[in-house]
Every structure is written in C-alpha cells, then in structure tokens.
Amino acid sequence: MSRASASSVTKEQPSPAANPNPRSVFGIVRHKVTTKHGWLGDYDYRWLCLPSLPTARRKQPPFYGIDDELPLVLAMTSGLQHALAMLAGLITPPIIFASSLMLDPATSSYMISASLIGSGILSLVQLSRTKLWGGYYLGTGLLSVVGTSFATLSTANAIFNVMYANGTCPSTTATDGTITRGPCPDAYGMLLGTSLICAFLEIGLSFLPPRLLQRIFPPMVTGTVILLIGASLVGSSGILDWGGGSNGCQARPTSGIYQLCPTVGSPHALPWGSPQFIGLGFLSFVSIILTELFGSPFLKNASIIVGLAVGCIVAGAAGYIDGSTITSAPTITFLWVHRFKINVYPPAILPMLAVYVSMAMEAIGDITASAEVSRIPVEGKDFDSRIQGGVLSDGIGGFLSALFTVTPLSVFAQNNGVISVTRCANRTAGRWCCAFLIIFGCLGKVSGFFLAIPNPVLGGVTTFLFASVAVSGLRVLSYVKFTRRDRFILAAALSFGVGDLLVPDIFTYLFDGVKNPSKGLQGLFESITIMLSTPFLVSGIVVLVLNLILPQDMDMLQQDEDKEDVEVAQDLEIQVLDQERRM
C-alpha cells in the first residue's frame, strides 16, 4: 500500500475503497445521479446535522481522502460548509476598504461580489495540480481555498491614511479639528495597481526550494507576523465597529455627520460606545460561543455566520438595519461591472512587497496544515512540490485578483477546521465550495444584504475572527524553543509591534522636520512611514533581520546534544535491565 493511500485510513472506520474497475466518465456520472449510493453513500448525516452536548461522545464517520469517491449530497454539503466558513473572512475586507475610502453603496456592494467571485475562481486553480516544465507545479492539489489576505487589509489602512494626509485623497477639516474624509475610489485603484506589479515577487519566491524558504522564515518569524496581523485588526477595525463604527464617529466629534454612529442620518444613530451597540455586538459574540457548545458539526463550521444571523435578526427587529443597500443592489452582477483606474502608488511598493513576502510565509504554513488534516505526508519531494505549486498559485492569484478588481487573494486557513471536523478532505467538496462562492457573488442582493449588516453586529463577529488570526500566530510561536536568543529576538520585535498597536501615531511625524523634500524623497519618506506604522511589517522586519544575524546560542546547542546523549544512555540502560530480567 502506498503512503498516500495508507494515510487515508482511519482507526474508527475504514476509508471508502476506491473502485477497482474504473468506468467511463459517462458511467460514473450516471451512477452518481441515478443511484441512492451515488447520492448519499454511507455517510452518517445525523452526526453532521444533529446538535450535540459538550460531554457527548459519538462515533465519527469515515474519512474521505482528497481523491476518494464522494456521494453527491456529502460533496454539496461539505462544499457549502467550506463556503460558509469562508464567508465572513471574504466579505469583511471589502466592507472595511469601502468604509475607509467612503465609497458609495453601489461600489461597496460590487466589491463584496467581486471578492466572492474572485475567490471562487482562483480557489479552483489552487485545488488543481497542473504540471509545468522542469518538475514545477501550479496549485497544491489539496482542498486549499483562497481569500483576501488580512495582511493586505492591515497595510492598506496605513496606505489610505497617508493618501488622505498628503492630499492624494480629499478631506475637510472642521473648526473643531474634526477631519472628514471624502470618497476616494482612485486610492483603491492605486492599491490594485501596486499589488499587481508586486505579485511578481511571490511568483519568484515560489521557484526557490521550499526548505530554503522555511529556513529563512522559521516559526519565530511567521508566528510574530501572524500574531500582529490579528492583533492590529482587532484594534483598528473589529473593536471599533463593535462600538458603533470606525469611519470617524469613534472620536465622538461635536459637529458634523459623525457625531453619531454610523452617521447622524442612519436608523437608530447613537454615540459611539453606546450600550445598545455594545449589546448587539455581544449578542453576536455569545451566539458564536453557544454554537460551539451546542451546535451540530455543520453549524460549528459556520459559527461566524450564525453569529451574524442572530445579530441581524435582533438588529432588524429593533430597527437598526437600513435596507436601502439591499433594494438598490442589482439582482445579478459579475466582475468588471464597476471599474477602478489602475495606477501605481510608489510609496506603497515597499509595503506591498513585504505583504507578498508575508503571504508566502502564510501560504507555506496553511498548506502544511491542509496536508496534515488531509492525511498527506508533510515531507518529501511530493510535499515540496505542493508547497511550490501553492506559493506559485498564490503569486499568480495576486496578479489576477488585481485584474478582477480584488485585493490580493491568498491561501485561507479557515477550511482546515472544516476538514478536521467533517473528516472530508475531498477536492470535489472544494469544487462545490467554489461554485457556491461564485453563485453568492453573482447574486447582487446577497452582497447588498452583507453591506446592510450593522457595524456593532459585524464588529462583534470580526473581533472574534481577527482574534482567531492572532491565536493562530501564537500557535505557530509555540513551536519556538524560547531559548535566550529566541526570547531576545521576540522582545525586540514586539517592542515595535506592540508599541505601534498602543500608540499608532508614534512614527507619523518622523520626517516633518525635513523642509521642501523632492517628490522622490517625499515618496520614500511616506513609504518608510507606512512600513513603520504597520505593526506586523515593522515587527516582521526586526524579527527577520535579527534571526539571520544573531548567532545561535552555543550553550543551548550543547545542552540539546547532552540531553540527546542522556536519553540514548537511558534507553540503553533500560534495554540492559530488560535483558537481565529475562535471564
């Protein structure tokens, strides 16, 4: 038995056996749609759909490997679970982008649709494993899906802040000092254009040996970056929306349209931080916890959507939802219904290059996790080719997503939890997931509904979502041995990262003393400011450089060798004692 087939065997129940007599494509399709086994198979759907108690123990269904024969109903059900698990992560970035740039509802709704459609299309590429020249591949061949990178979201906020500060985007200042931003769709076009050209960096990285990339970006580097991506998004978006909004009303100005959240003309507008807003967000948050406690495996995989649904039901009954975005949204839409002026913003080039490096790091970790839960060996040439194909697909996806009017799409980790719970790693389920995402994106009313979600409801959910990203970073850091050298490097990196989180404006005025700089020099200053003002970028640079230049702790290396020698000696002593007892 090969290693691949042996890895798809579970202790509880045997994996579905492959058909020893392959049929024609027509015969397979006919069997699928005309027989009960083709539709339902032997899967325990009661286990999937019935609620469970925290202390209950139930027999688990069989595990389905990446290419096992899968019943149609299970394929569609698993695909829907993957789509629902991804949904919150896909709709949140375009909503935040549109809010930061004050875009109109029609454009905002389109950006949500484009994100869903682009994710569905490019996930199909990642699911494939197309062989290229010289032993290279495109795609992982695993149930790997893609979505908008949260690294881009964190960096884009800093880029947009600089654009409004230097006049690239319009803004007005009231007599009390309150700054009101104007609509700036061109800023989004500049972000897309810069992303498009920077994508070639990740494409180039994909042709480096995976082992070299893992040596340059060990868990200490990737864990620090992921931790601060999540932490910064909680502070800059999640918790602010929980309080009522992040569009300027969080400053509680005394005049202007942002005296109340989200604006003074919104239904049930209230000051930021009002108990009504806090309660709505808390209701969504608690719904996620209760779903995890008592929900069926299906609902647990869609707990974020459950939280949104419960919050929206209560908010709608209380009159907090403005339905104008739903009524004005088109019934059917697709890519390029709205277009943006593609341009390159030079100060954003260095930060976006760093974003693509972090995306490559995340891709390696996510693909490794996907292989583990799919019971695919995580070593050897076959696995290295999956890493190479996944990073290449990630880079090409970043290029194509800009043409799709979507910010960089990279490998998502959310689906790994779905695979682990449902015990279905089959790529057919992934293709159904892509189909559902494309359908959701084409239905314009769906995007209009997502846009109508009240900020506190969205904030309660995204705070949990972004905190989950930070926890993922902590999990990666758990692989670090925390020697004195490791603790020193992490302390140096977190000094900048945590400092940025707590005092976001610390580096904003760094170059104010430079008088009349040239256009090129001013662009360089803005690029450095963006890098220093983005917590995960500045911490990532510090931890990467220090990890490369600081020598390994020789004492610790010697201790590790001594420990191994002691363990070997203990093993030999135990063997000698066993032999004496037998004699």
Side-chain angles (χ1 to χ4, degrees):
M1 183 182 290
S2 65
R3 294 182 66 183
S5 61
S7 63
S8 65
V9 176
T10 178
K11 294 181 180 179
E12 293 85 354
Q13 295 183 25
S15 178
N19 189 351
N21 299 314
R23 302 181 295 248
S24 66
V25 175
F26 176 77
I28 294 174
V29 172
R30 185 176 63 180
H31 172 75
K32 286 284 187 183
V33 299
T34 59
T35 65
K36 180 180 178 181
H37 187 270
W39 278 96
L40 300 176
D42 300 322
Y43 195 81
D44 186 1
Y45 294 93
R46 291 177 301 174
W47 174 88
L48 182 66
C49 300
L50 290 180
S52 61
L53 296 176
T55 57
R57 291 185 178 181
R58 294 189 291 178
K59 189 176 182 180
Q60 293 184 326
F63 180 84
Y64 288 85
I66 58 175
D67 292 317
D68 288 337
E69 185 178 350
L70 198 64
L72 278 175
V73 172
L74 180 59
M76 291 186 284
T77 304
S78 297
L80 180 61
Q81 286 185 91
H82 283 283
L84 293 178
M86 298 170 60
L87 212 51
L90 289 175
I91 67 173
T92 299
I95 290 175
I96 295 176
F97 288 143
S99 176
S100 299
L101 298 175
M102 305 298 164
L103 302 183
D104 60 87
T107 305
S108 305
S109 177
Y110 164 75
M111 290 168 62
I112 296 173
S113 295
S115 177
L116 294 170
I117 296 171
S119 174
I121 294 174
L122 294 177
S123 292
L124 288 172
V125 178
Q126 193 66 266
L127 285 165
S128 68
R129 194 163 181 249
T130 307
K131 188 171 184 179
L132 305 177
W133 69 94
Y136 293 108
Y137 289 85
L138 176 65
T140 62
L142 302 170
L143 208 171
S144 300
V145 292
V146 303
T148 304
S149 170
F150 288 140
T152 307
L153 180 58
S154 181
T155 307
N157 287 331
I159 294 173
F160 296 153
N161 289 338
V162 169
M163 288 183 177
Y164 276 103
N166 64 18
T168 303
C169 293
S171 62
T172 57
T173 305
T175 55
D176 62 353
T178 303
I179 299 176
T180 303
R181 292 181 172 185
C184 192
D186 288 349
Y188 189 70
M190 292 180 186
L191 180 66
L192 295 178
T194 308
S195 169
L196 187 146
I197 63 169
C198 292
F200 289 101
L201 174 61
E202 189 174 9
I203 294 174
L205 289 175
S206 69
F207 294 103
L208 295 177
R211 297 182 185 276
L212 176 61
L213 293 177
Q214 291 171 336
R215 198 175 301 126
I216 298 174
F217 306 118
M220 183 161 54
V221 176
T222 57
T224 303
V225 169
I226 297 172
L227 169 64
L228 288 171
I229 287 174
S232 63
L233 289 174
V234 168
S236 65
S237 177
I239 206 71
L240 295 182
D241 283 334
W242 191 334
S246 56
N247 56 356
C249 67
Q250 72 270 19
R252 300 185 71 141
T254 57
S255 63
I257 64 172
Y258 298 121
Q259 292 182 71
L260 302 176
C261 289
T263 62
V264 293
S266 302
H268 274 274
L270 295 167
W272 187 85
S274 297
Q276 294 91 329
F277 288 157
I278 302 299
L280 272 178
F282 186 71
L283 176 65
S284 299
F285 194 92
V286 170
S287 299
I288 297 173
I289 297 174
L290 293 177
T291 303
E292 183 65 27
L293 280 173
F294 303 108
S296 65
F298 183 92
L299 288 180
K300 287 181 180 180
N301 291 324
S303 60
I304 299 293
I305 298 300
V306 173
L308 284 176
V310 173
C312 286
I313 290 171
V314 175
Y320 285 89
I321 293 182
D322 181 5
S324 61
T325 59
I326 302 175
T327 56
S328 62
T331 303
I332 301 295
T333 188
F334 199 68
L335 300 174
W336 307 299
V337 171
H338 285 266
R339 287 168 288 182
F340 301 89
K341 295 179 181 177
I342 298 293
N343 205 342
V344 175
Y345 186 58
I349 293 177
L350 282 178
M352 288 305 297
L353 287 173
V355 165
Y356 274 102
V357 171
S358 70
M359 285 169 53
M361 291 190 294
E362 289 182 63
I364 293 173
D366 291 342
I367 294 167
T368 302
S370 296
E372 287 178 345
V373 296
S374 301
R375 306 188 180 183
I376 299 295
V378 290
E379 58 184 8
K381 292 183 178 180
D382 181 77
F383 174 70
D384 288 347
S385 70
R386 294 185 189 276
I387 292 287
Q388 177 272 314
V391 176
L392 177 59
S393 179
D394 225 36
I396 293 176
F399 179 86
L400 293 177
S401 62
L403 300 181
F404 291 168
T405 65
V406 181
T407 52
L409 296 169
S410 62
V411 177
F412 247 26
Q414 280 88 337
N415 69 309
N416 293 333
V418 181
I419 295 173
S420 178
V421 171
T422 62
R423 303 169 63 82
C424 178
N426 197 275
R427 290 190 293 173
T428 303
R431 297 184 184 101
W432 278 104
C433 168
C434 298
F436 282 119
L437 291 176
I438 295 172
I439 292 171
F440 291 156
C442 291
L443 298 176
K445 297 294 183 184
V446 173
S447 299
F449 170 77
F450 289 139
L451 197 62
I453 296 174
N455 285 335
V457 175
L458 186 67
V461 168
T462 55
T463 298
F464 180 87
L465 183 66
F466 296 148
S468 299
V469 176
V471 171
S472 298
L474 290 175
R475 179 180 178 275
V476 175
L477 285 174
S478 68
Y479 294 106
V480 177
K481 292 184 177 180
F482 286 103
T483 63
R484 182 184 180 282
R485 172 183 180 274
D486 295 339
R487 295 195 302 272
F488 180 87
I489 294 174
L490 285 172
L494 293 178
S495 298
F496 285 91
V498 176
D500 258 354
L501 286 174
L502 299 178
V503 188
D505 298 332
I506 179 68
F507 298 114
T508 304
Y509 315 104
L510 191 61
F511 301 106
D512 284 2
V514 180
K515 304 299 182 182
N516 302 319
S518 64
K519 188 175 181 180
L521 188 60
Q522 182 62 33
L524 177 62
F525 290 163
E526 291 175 355
S527 181
I528 295 173
T529 301
I530 293 170
M531 298 277 285
L532 294 177
S533 301
T534 307
F536 86 89
L537 287 182
V538 63
S539 292
I541 292 172
V542 172
V543 70
L544 177 64
V545 172
L546 290 181
N547 185 61
L548 291 176
I549 65 175
L550 284 182
Q552 292 287 341
D553 192 335
M554 298 305 297
D555 292 337
M556 291 303 301
L557 291 176
Q558 185 62 43
Q559 289 179 16
D560 289 342
E561 292 178 0
D562 293 342
K563 185 177 179 181
E564 291 178 0
D565 292 340
V566 170
E567 290 176 351
V568 171
Q570 290 176 344
D571 291 340
L572 290 174
E573 185 177 353
I574 292 172
Q575 292 177 7
V576 170
L577 290 174
D578 288 342
Q579 290 178 357
E580 291 178 352
R581 288 171 185 170
R582 291 172 184 175
M583 294 174 64

